[in-house]
Amino acid sequence: MSSKRADLSKRTFFILSGVSNGLAKSMATEMCQNFSEGSVVLLMDRSEESLQEVKKEIEYLERDINIICWLVNSWQEASHDYFRCGLAYILHKYATTKYEFELAFILHNEGNISTHTLVEPQSAADWLSFVQEHLNVPVALNQAFLTAPQFSKTAKLVVNITSTLMIRPFIYGSLLCSCMKSRDMYFRSMANEKNGNNVNVISYSPGILDSHKPQTDLNYNTVDLLDLKLSEKMLKLPRVDVQQSSLKLLNILEEMSFISGHEVDYYDTFNL
Protein backbone atom coordinates (compact mmCIF):
# COMPACT_ATOMS: atom_id res chain seq x y z
CA MET A 1 0.00 0.00 0.00
CA SER A 2 1.22 3.51 -0.83
CA SER A 3 1.95 6.28 1.65
CA LYS A 4 -0.97 8.50 2.61
CA ARG A 5 -1.48 11.99 3.97
CA ALA A 6 -4.57 13.37 5.66
CA ASP A 7 -5.90 16.87 5.08
CA LEU A 8 -7.46 17.89 8.40
CA SER A 9 -8.36 21.39 7.21
CA LYS A 10 -11.58 20.06 5.68
CA ARG A 11 -15.11 20.21 7.08
CA THR A 12 -14.83 17.24 9.39
CA PHE A 13 -17.04 15.04 11.52
CA PHE A 14 -14.64 14.13 14.31
CA ILE A 15 -15.29 11.49 16.96
CA LEU A 16 -13.03 11.26 20.00
CA SER A 17 -13.91 8.18 22.02
CA GLY A 18 -12.45 8.25 25.51
CA VAL A 19 -11.62 11.68 26.95
CA SER A 20 -10.80 10.83 30.57
CA ASN A 21 -7.02 11.05 30.38
CA GLY A 22 -4.63 13.92 29.82
CA LEU A 23 -3.67 12.82 26.35
CA ALA A 24 -7.27 13.14 25.13
CA LYS A 25 -7.57 16.82 26.04
CA SER A 26 -4.45 17.69 24.11
CA MET A 27 -5.44 15.52 21.15
CA ALA A 28 -8.85 17.20 21.00
CA THR A 29 -7.58 20.78 21.04
CA GLU A 30 -4.73 20.22 18.60
CA MET A 31 -6.98 18.40 16.11
CA CYS A 32 -9.79 20.94 16.35
CA GLN A 33 -7.49 23.84 15.50
CA ASN A 34 -7.24 22.40 12.01
CA PHE A 35 -10.86 21.70 11.11
CA SER A 36 -12.74 24.15 8.89
CA GLU A 37 -15.95 25.91 9.90
CA GLY A 38 -19.06 23.80 10.06
CA SER A 39 -17.15 20.82 11.44
CA VAL A 40 -18.70 18.68 14.18
CA VAL A 41 -16.83 17.25 17.18
CA LEU A 42 -18.41 14.33 19.01
CA LEU A 43 -16.86 13.61 22.42
CA MET A 44 -17.63 10.23 23.99
CA ASP A 45 -16.92 9.07 27.52
CA ARG A 46 -18.56 7.69 30.64
CA SER A 47 -17.44 10.68 32.72
CA GLU A 48 -19.63 13.79 32.41
CA GLU A 49 -16.98 15.84 34.19
CA SER A 50 -14.30 14.85 31.65
CA LEU A 51 -16.63 15.54 28.73
CA GLN A 52 -17.40 19.05 29.93
CA GLU A 53 -13.74 19.76 30.68
CA VAL A 54 -12.62 18.84 27.16
CA LYS A 55 -15.59 20.68 25.65
CA LYS A 56 -14.51 23.88 27.43
CA GLU A 57 -10.95 23.47 26.16
CA ILE A 58 -12.26 23.27 22.59
CA GLU A 59 -14.58 26.23 23.10
CA TYR A 60 -11.58 28.33 24.17
CA LEU A 61 -10.29 27.96 20.61
CA GLU A 62 -13.26 30.06 19.40
CA ARG A 63 -13.68 28.03 16.25
CA ASP A 64 -16.94 27.78 14.30
CA ILE A 65 -17.47 24.10 15.08
CA ASN A 66 -20.26 22.22 16.81
CA ILE A 67 -19.37 20.23 19.95
CA ILE A 68 -21.53 17.32 21.12
CA CYS A 69 -21.02 15.36 24.34
CA TRP A 70 -22.18 11.75 24.39
CA LEU A 71 -22.27 10.34 27.90
CA VAL A 72 -21.83 6.57 27.69
CA ASN A 73 -23.34 5.38 30.95
CA SER A 74 -21.62 2.00 30.76
CA TRP A 75 -19.06 0.66 28.32
CA GLN A 76 -20.25 -2.78 29.41
CA GLU A 77 -23.70 -2.26 27.90
CA ALA A 78 -22.47 -0.58 24.72
CA SER A 79 -23.06 -2.56 21.54
CA HIS A 80 -23.05 -2.04 17.79
CA ASP A 81 -26.78 -1.21 17.84
CA TYR A 82 -26.26 1.25 20.69
CA PHE A 83 -23.61 3.15 18.74
CA ARG A 84 -25.42 2.83 15.41
CA CYS A 85 -28.66 4.31 16.75
CA GLY A 86 -26.92 7.08 18.66
CA LEU A 87 -24.76 8.07 15.71
CA ALA A 88 -27.75 8.00 13.36
CA TYR A 89 -29.65 10.38 15.67
CA ILE A 90 -26.75 12.85 15.75
CA LEU A 91 -26.04 12.67 12.02
CA HIS A 92 -29.72 13.21 11.22
CA LYS A 93 -29.32 16.66 12.75
CA TYR A 94 -25.88 17.63 11.48
CA ALA A 95 -25.34 15.77 8.18
CA THR A 96 -27.24 18.28 6.05
CA THR A 97 -26.38 20.05 2.82
CA LYS A 98 -25.10 22.97 4.89
CA TYR A 99 -22.80 20.64 6.80
CA GLU A 100 -21.79 18.24 4.07
CA PHE A 101 -18.69 16.61 5.49
CA GLU A 102 -15.48 16.21 3.52
CA LEU A 103 -13.80 13.97 6.11
CA ALA A 104 -15.09 11.54 8.74
CA PHE A 105 -12.40 11.08 11.40
CA ILE A 106 -12.55 8.83 14.45
CA LEU A 107 -9.86 8.64 17.12
CA HIS A 108 -10.12 5.61 19.40
CA ASN A 109 -8.82 6.43 22.85
CA GLU A 110 -11.04 4.08 24.86
CA GLY A 111 -9.72 2.23 27.87
CA ASN A 112 -6.98 2.72 30.42
CA ILE A 113 -3.96 2.88 28.14
CA SER A 114 -2.72 6.18 29.55
CA THR A 115 -3.71 5.84 33.19
CA HIS A 116 -1.53 4.94 36.17
CA THR A 117 -3.36 1.78 37.28
CA LEU A 118 -2.62 -1.68 36.00
CA VAL A 119 -5.63 -3.98 35.98
CA GLU A 120 -4.97 -7.67 36.46
CA PRO A 121 -8.30 -9.18 37.59
CA GLN A 122 -8.50 -12.83 38.50
CA SER A 123 -12.14 -13.74 37.88
CA ALA A 124 -13.59 -14.64 34.48
CA ALA A 125 -16.26 -11.94 34.92
CA ASP A 126 -13.63 -9.24 35.47
CA TRP A 127 -11.65 -10.51 32.49
CA LEU A 128 -14.69 -10.30 30.19
CA SER A 129 -15.57 -6.86 31.50
CA PHE A 130 -12.09 -5.59 30.73
CA VAL A 131 -12.11 -7.10 27.24
CA GLN A 132 -15.51 -5.49 26.57
CA GLU A 133 -14.18 -2.01 27.28
CA HIS A 134 -10.77 -2.30 25.64
CA LEU A 135 -11.56 -4.45 22.60
CA ASN A 136 -15.28 -5.00 21.95
CA VAL A 137 -16.29 -1.36 22.36
CA PRO A 138 -13.87 0.10 19.80
CA VAL A 139 -14.81 -2.65 17.32
CA ALA A 140 -18.56 -2.01 17.77
CA LEU A 141 -18.15 1.77 17.54
CA ASN A 142 -15.91 1.46 14.53
CA GLN A 143 -18.42 -0.65 12.64
CA ALA A 144 -21.18 1.87 13.33
CA PHE A 145 -18.89 4.64 12.09
CA LEU A 146 -17.84 2.81 8.92
CA THR A 147 -21.38 1.81 7.94
CA ALA A 148 -23.11 5.14 8.63
CA PRO A 149 -24.98 5.94 5.38
CA GLN A 150 -24.20 9.66 5.78
CA PHE A 151 -20.51 8.82 5.34
CA SER A 152 -20.94 6.49 2.36
CA LYS A 153 -19.17 8.92 -0.01
CA THR A 154 -16.95 10.57 2.58
CA ALA A 155 -13.23 9.93 3.03
CA LYS A 156 -12.61 8.28 6.39
CA LEU A 157 -9.65 8.38 8.76
CA VAL A 158 -9.38 5.95 11.67
CA VAL A 159 -6.73 6.42 14.38
CA ASN A 160 -6.18 3.88 17.13
CA ILE A 161 -4.23 5.03 20.19
CA THR A 162 -2.20 2.02 21.22
CA SER A 163 1.05 1.28 23.06
CA THR A 164 4.18 -0.30 21.65
CA LEU A 165 5.15 -1.20 25.21
CA MET A 166 1.82 -2.82 26.03
CA ILE A 167 1.81 -5.18 23.05
CA ARG A 168 4.95 -6.79 24.51
CA PRO A 169 4.94 -9.24 27.42
CA PHE A 170 4.50 -6.86 30.35
CA ILE A 171 4.82 -8.05 33.94
CA TYR A 172 1.43 -7.97 35.73
CA GLY A 173 -0.15 -6.83 32.46
CA SER A 174 -1.19 -9.99 30.61
CA LEU A 175 -4.79 -8.82 30.28
CA LEU A 176 -4.00 -5.35 28.97
CA CYS A 177 -1.24 -6.65 26.71
CA SER A 178 -3.48 -9.33 25.17
CA CYS A 179 -6.25 -6.78 24.51
CA MET A 180 -3.83 -4.31 22.96
CA LYS A 181 -2.35 -6.98 20.71
CA SER A 182 -5.81 -8.12 19.57
CA ARG A 183 -6.87 -4.52 19.01
CA ASP A 184 -3.74 -3.87 16.98
CA MET A 185 -4.44 -6.86 14.72
CA TYR A 186 -8.08 -5.81 14.27
CA PHE A 187 -7.08 -2.39 12.95
CA ARG A 188 -4.42 -3.89 10.69
CA SER A 189 -6.93 -6.31 9.24
CA MET A 190 -9.57 -3.61 8.83
CA ALA A 191 -7.11 -1.49 6.85
CA ASN A 192 -6.59 -4.37 4.41
CA GLU A 193 -10.31 -5.05 4.13
CA LYS A 194 -11.09 -1.38 3.42
CA ASN A 195 -8.14 -0.81 1.10
CA GLY A 196 -9.44 1.06 -1.93
CA ASN A 197 -12.60 2.25 -0.16
CA ASN A 198 -11.20 5.66 0.80
CA VAL A 199 -10.60 4.49 4.39
CA ASN A 200 -7.20 5.08 5.97
CA VAL A 201 -6.14 3.55 9.27
CA ILE A 202 -3.21 4.17 11.58
CA SER A 203 -2.30 2.96 15.07
CA TYR A 204 -0.30 5.49 17.05
CA SER A 205 1.81 4.90 20.16
CA PRO A 206 2.10 8.26 21.97
CA GLY A 207 5.35 7.47 23.78
CA ILE A 208 6.07 7.19 27.50
CA LEU A 209 4.28 10.24 28.89
CA ASP A 210 6.07 12.44 31.39
CA SER A 211 3.09 11.94 33.72
CA HIS A 212 3.88 8.22 34.02
CA LYS A 213 4.17 7.01 37.57
CA PRO A 214 4.86 3.63 39.17
CA GLN A 215 1.71 1.55 38.75
CA THR A 216 -0.18 -0.68 41.15
CA ASP A 217 -2.55 -3.47 40.14
CA LEU A 218 -5.49 -4.93 42.05
CA ASN A 219 -3.15 -7.37 43.80
CA TYR A 220 -1.08 -4.44 45.11
CA ASN A 221 1.91 -5.25 42.91
CA THR A 222 3.85 -2.05 42.27
CA VAL A 223 5.68 -1.80 38.97
CA ASP A 224 7.89 0.87 37.49
CA LEU A 225 9.38 0.86 34.02
CA LEU A 226 12.82 0.75 35.60
CA ASP A 227 11.92 -2.60 37.20
CA LEU A 228 11.00 -4.25 33.92
CA LYS A 229 13.29 -6.33 31.75
CA LEU A 230 13.42 -3.77 28.97
CA SER A 231 16.35 -2.93 26.78
CA GLU A 232 18.65 -0.20 28.00
CA LYS A 233 17.80 1.75 24.85
CA MET A 234 14.10 1.77 25.72
CA LEU A 235 14.70 2.78 29.32
CA LYS A 236 16.70 5.80 28.14
CA LEU A 237 13.96 7.07 25.83
CA PRO A 238 12.87 10.59 26.81
CA ARG A 239 9.51 11.09 28.47
CA VAL A 240 6.93 12.85 26.32
CA ASP A 241 4.68 15.81 27.04
CA VAL A 242 1.07 15.27 25.91
CA GLN A 243 1.19 18.27 23.57
CA GLN A 244 4.40 17.00 22.00
CA SER A 245 2.76 13.66 21.35
CA SER A 246 -0.37 15.26 19.90
CA LEU A 247 1.63 17.48 17.58
CA LYS A 248 3.67 14.49 16.48
CA LEU A 249 0.52 12.62 15.46
CA LEU A 250 -0.65 15.65 13.49
CA ASN A 251 2.72 15.84 11.79
CA ILE A 252 2.56 12.16 10.85
CA LEU A 253 -0.94 12.50 9.42
CA GLU A 254 -0.43 15.72 7.48
CA GLU A 255 3.27 15.99 6.66
CA MET A 256 5.32 12.83 7.10
CA SER A 257 2.73 10.47 5.56
CA PHE A 258 1.84 6.96 6.71
CA ILE A 259 0.90 3.56 5.35
CA SER A 260 -2.66 2.57 6.12
CA GLY A 261 -2.81 -0.24 8.66
CA HIS A 262 0.68 0.32 10.03
CA GLU A 263 1.65 1.38 13.53
CA VAL A 264 3.77 4.44 14.18
CA ASP A 265 5.48 5.12 17.49
CA TYR A 266 6.35 8.57 18.75
CA TYR A 267 9.95 7.44 19.04
CA ASP A 268 10.24 6.42 15.40
CA THR A 269 11.55 9.90 14.82
CA PHE A 270 11.89 12.91 17.10
CA ASN A 271 11.39 15.44 14.32
CA LEU A 272 8.20 17.51 14.51
Side-chain angles (χ1 to χ4, degrees):
M1 290 182 280
S2 60
S3 296
K4 309 286 185 179
R5 284 190 176 90
D7 182 1
L8 301 184
S9 65
K10 296 179 178 180
R11 187 176 296 111
T12 302
F13 191 98
F14 175 54
I15 301 174
L16 175 58
S17 179
V19 302
S20 295
N21 60 62
L23 181 65
K25 185 191 300 183
S26 177
M27 288 284 183
T29 54
E30 296 300 336
M31 297 295 171
C32 288
Q33 291 188 65
N34 293 272
F35 304 147
S36 66
E37 63 178 23
S39 293
V40 173
V41 175
L42 174 58
L43 305 173
M44 301 178 64
D45 202 83
R46 60 182 176 184
S47 167
E48 179 67 28
E49 181 180 356
S50 296
L51 287 169
Q52 294 305 319
E53 182 180 353
V54 175
K55 181 181 179 182
K56 287 180 181 179
E57 290 293 326
I58 298 173
E59 289 174 338
Y60 288 149
L61 300 176
E62 297 184 345
R63 303 296 305 277
D64 182 18
I65 57 179
N66 299 280
I67 308 169
I68 306 165
C69 293
W70 183 344
L71 179 63
V72 181
N73 292 321
S74 172
W75 290 123
Q76 309 312 316
E77 298 177 5
S79 63
H80 173 258
D81 285 342
Y82 171 80
F83 291 126
R84 178 179 57 81
C85 293
L87 194 56
Y89 176 81
I90 294 168
L91 287 170
H92 178 71
K93 179 178 180 180
Y94 289 98
T96 64
T97 302
K98 180 182 178 181
Y99 295 116
E100 184 176 345
F101 299 109
E102 301 168 292
L103 176 67
F105 175 13
I106 184 168
L107 195 156
H108 289 276
N109 193 47
E110 308 93 344
N112 300 314
I113 301 171
S114 300
T115 65
H116 306 317
T117 303
L118 291 172
V119 180
E120 191 68 4
Q122 300 301 310
S123 71
D126 286 339
W127 180 285
L128 292 175
S129 176
F130 191 88
V131 172
Q132 165 69 10
E133 179 176 352
H134 290 78
L135 181 59
N136 295 350
V137 163
V139 171
L141 174 58
N142 214 41
Q143 291 307 305
F145 169 79
L146 291 173
T147 58
Q150 294 87 347
F151 297 150
S152 60
K153 298 181 181 180
T154 307
K156 300 177 186 66
L157 175 63
V158 180
V159 175
N160 170 43
I161 301 300
T162 184
S163 169
T164 300
L165 182 62
M166 292 297 183
I167 63 173
R168 303 178 181 210
F170 193 105
I171 185 170
Y172 303 131
S174 60
L175 181 52
L176 182 57
C177 292
S178 59
C179 281
M180 289 298 100
K181 192 67 174 180
S182 299
R183 185 163 156 165
D184 177 71
M185 183 54 67
Y186 161 73
F187 282 97
R188 286 176 180 270
S189 299
M190 190 195 76
N192 285 330
E193 292 170 2
K194 299 298 180 181
N195 184 32
N197 293 334
N198 211 9
V199 178
N200 289 312
V201 184
I202 180 174
S203 287
Y204 176 65
S205 293
I208 303 173
L209 302 181
D210 56 11
S211 58
H212 173 83
K213 299 177 182 178
Q215 302 177 0
T216 304
D217 70 4
L218 295 182
N219 296 320
Y220 303 103
N221 300 302
T222 301
V223 183
D224 193 356
L225 287 177
L226 298 177
D227 299 327
L228 304 179
K229 294 181 179 179
L230 302 175
S231 67
E232 185 176 349
K233 179 181 179 181
M234 178 170 287
L235 290 174
K236 289 182 178 179
L237 290 173
R239 300 296 174 92
V240 183
D241 176 79
V242 290
Q243 185 180 33
Q244 284 180 303
S245 187
S246 301
L247 290 172
K248 180 62 174 291
L249 175 58
L250 274 170
N251 183 258
I252 291 168
L253 294 174
E254 295 191 303
E255 303 294 337
M256 294 172 57
S257 78
F258 60 94
I259 298 176
S260 185
H262 285 207
E263 179 187 329
V264 181
D265 193 293
Y266 174 88
Y267 299 112
D268 287 344
T269 171
F270 295 110
N271 298 320
L272 286 173

